[in-house]
Amino acid sequence: MLRTAELGSVTAHRITFRAAGAPAHVLEADPGRHALVLSSFGEIEVARAGCELVVRDTAVALCDTLLPLDIGPAPGNRAAEAVVMVFPGSAVPTVHPDTAGSQHRVRDAAGSGPLLRSFLVEAAGRAAGLGAPEVARFGDAALQLAAAVLERHFVDAGEVCPQTQQYELITRIRGFIDRNLGDCGLTPSLVASAHHISIRYLQRLFKTEGSTPSDWIRQRRLENSRRELCDTRLRSVSVREIGLRNGFTQPSDFSRVFRAKYGVPPGRFRDDWFQRDAIGQSGGRVTAMTDPAVARKI
């Protein structure tokens, strides 16, 4: 069983395996992002290109997603459950997006690891009843907890991370953007002013991860629009209103950029999603997924 929730720029997966030999879930490659894998119970095996890690008890596995990850129960386990947090590598100080091979390791994280796991489970369970700004705050909190876990258990003694302040700043900036997606006046200038930095410095921050402030704002607006289009509680809300809720003041602009990103206009995307969902449920299979884009990655 798979349950997924988007918490701002963080995605939380809760994957339950109820029988021995249950097939692994595949987390597809997603360059620039990382995954923390924790076990709620049982032993979890995380495999990537022939390299296998076993996560149990208070252990936490850190993996980059440059390659697909197979996440499943370790051999001999009759039941197990994994909690997986997928996040932008640049959002956490101790994770460097340009580091590939070293970002596949497991450490015991007694204390902070279980705290992060419990928070992800609770936040994901409550996210469905909250608005985008509140959900984004959950994502911010998850990133802060993840940073604490990584700094405490994945940074070797004497290792120095000179870009810590920069990463913390961009994490705050991303949270600010997520909380203000519906403000049509959300511009790079406003973001820079709110954080007491220059536009030029803001642009440099985003350039380090291959983006621009404007592109990031548009991307997060589109991702949140996509999530709301798939939300059964918002089924009666018009496509135009969903666009407005996410800062798209002109329906034609919303339709154009959404189609460029996802291949179909927002109205068609919503109709196709609910049609697939209805077919799945009529066949006796009820899915806990709320996002077709996430479904393609798992």
Side-chain angles (χ1 to χ4, degrees):
M1 178 186 296
L2 172 67
R3 285 157 287 184
T4 295
E6 287 195 20
L7 309 173
S9 58
V10 169
T11 303
H13 303 296
R14 190 176 181 185
I15 313 169
T16 306
F17 306 95
R18 300 196 180 279
H25 282 280
V26 179
L27 190 67
E28 290 189 1
D30 193 1
R33 294 174 73 81
H34 285 69
L36 285 173
V37 183
L38 308 96
S39 169
S40 290
F41 59 84
E43 296 185 349
I44 300 297
E45 185 175 83
V46 185
R48 182 190 69 172
C51 180
E52 297 175 351
L53 302 175
V54 175
V55 183
R56 63 172 72 87
D57 300 326
T58 58
V60 177
L62 168 65
C63 311
D64 67 65
T65 55
L66 290 171
L67 297 173
L69 299 174
D70 292 339
I71 301 172
N77 273 237
R78 301 188 62 177
E81 183 175 273
V83 176
V84 184
M85 173 181 167
V86 182
F87 59 96
S90 59
V92 175
T94 54
V95 175
H96 300 282
D98 57 347
T99 303
S102 65
Q103 300 297 335
H104 191 66
R105 43 192 169 145
V106 63
R107 299 280 176 87
D108 182 43
S112 56
L115 178 61
L116 174 61
R117 178 186 63 210
S118 298
F119 177 82
L120 289 170
V121 170
E122 185 73 13
R126 295 178 179 273
L130 301 175
E134 295 170 295
V135 171
R137 290 184 186 276
F138 279 178
D140 290 349
L143 287 170
Q144 293 297 324
L145 284 173
V149 171
L150 293 168
E151 290 170 6
R152 173 69 177 83
H153 300 286
F154 286 85
V155 177
D156 297 328
E159 183 178 340
V160 177
C161 184
Q163 295 176 304
T164 294
Q165 291 183 339
Q166 178 175 309
Y167 283 126
E168 290 177 345
L169 174 59
I170 201 166
T171 297
R172 293 198 302 272
I173 289 172
R174 283 172 160 170
F176 176 84
I177 289 171
D178 280 345
R179 292 190 296 272
N180 291 278
L181 293 176
D183 181 358
C184 61
L186 182 63
T187 63
S189 295
L190 177 65
V191 174
S193 176
H195 292 85
H196 311 290
I197 59 176
S198 69
I199 283 284
R200 188 170 182 178
Y201 184 59
L202 180 69
Q203 291 170 337
R204 284 208 308 271
L205 286 174
F206 279 90
K207 186 177 181 180
T208 60
E209 50 195 64
S211 185
T212 68
S214 296
D215 287 346
W216 182 259
I217 291 170
R218 181 170 59 252
Q219 176 184 326
R220 293 301 300 143
R221 280 175 165 161
L222 286 170
E223 289 174 348
N224 201 61
S225 297
R226 179 198 68 204
R227 183 178 65 84
E228 293 188 347
L229 287 167
C230 300
D231 191 333
T232 55
R233 296 167 302 131
L234 299 177
R235 188 68 175 99
S236 62
V237 178
S238 70
V239 171
R240 179 180 182 276
E241 179 61 26
I242 284 180
L244 286 172
R245 287 164 59 103
N246 289 283
F248 294 102
T249 57
Q250 297 298 323
S252 58
D253 291 339
F254 179 39
S255 181
R256 175 177 52 79
V257 296
F258 191 95
R259 182 167 189 165
K261 175 72 173 179
Y262 298 111
V264 292
R268 172 71 178 277
F269 181 90
R270 170 190 259 181
D271 291 343
D272 288 350
W273 164 246
F274 281 105
Q275 183 178 13
R276 286 194 300 270
D277 187 57
I279 292 172
Q281 294 194 30
S282 66
R285 181 183 178 187
V286 180
T287 176
M289 294 295 294
T290 59
D291 190 328
V294 174
R296 288 195 296 271
K297 288 192 174 186
I298 296 289

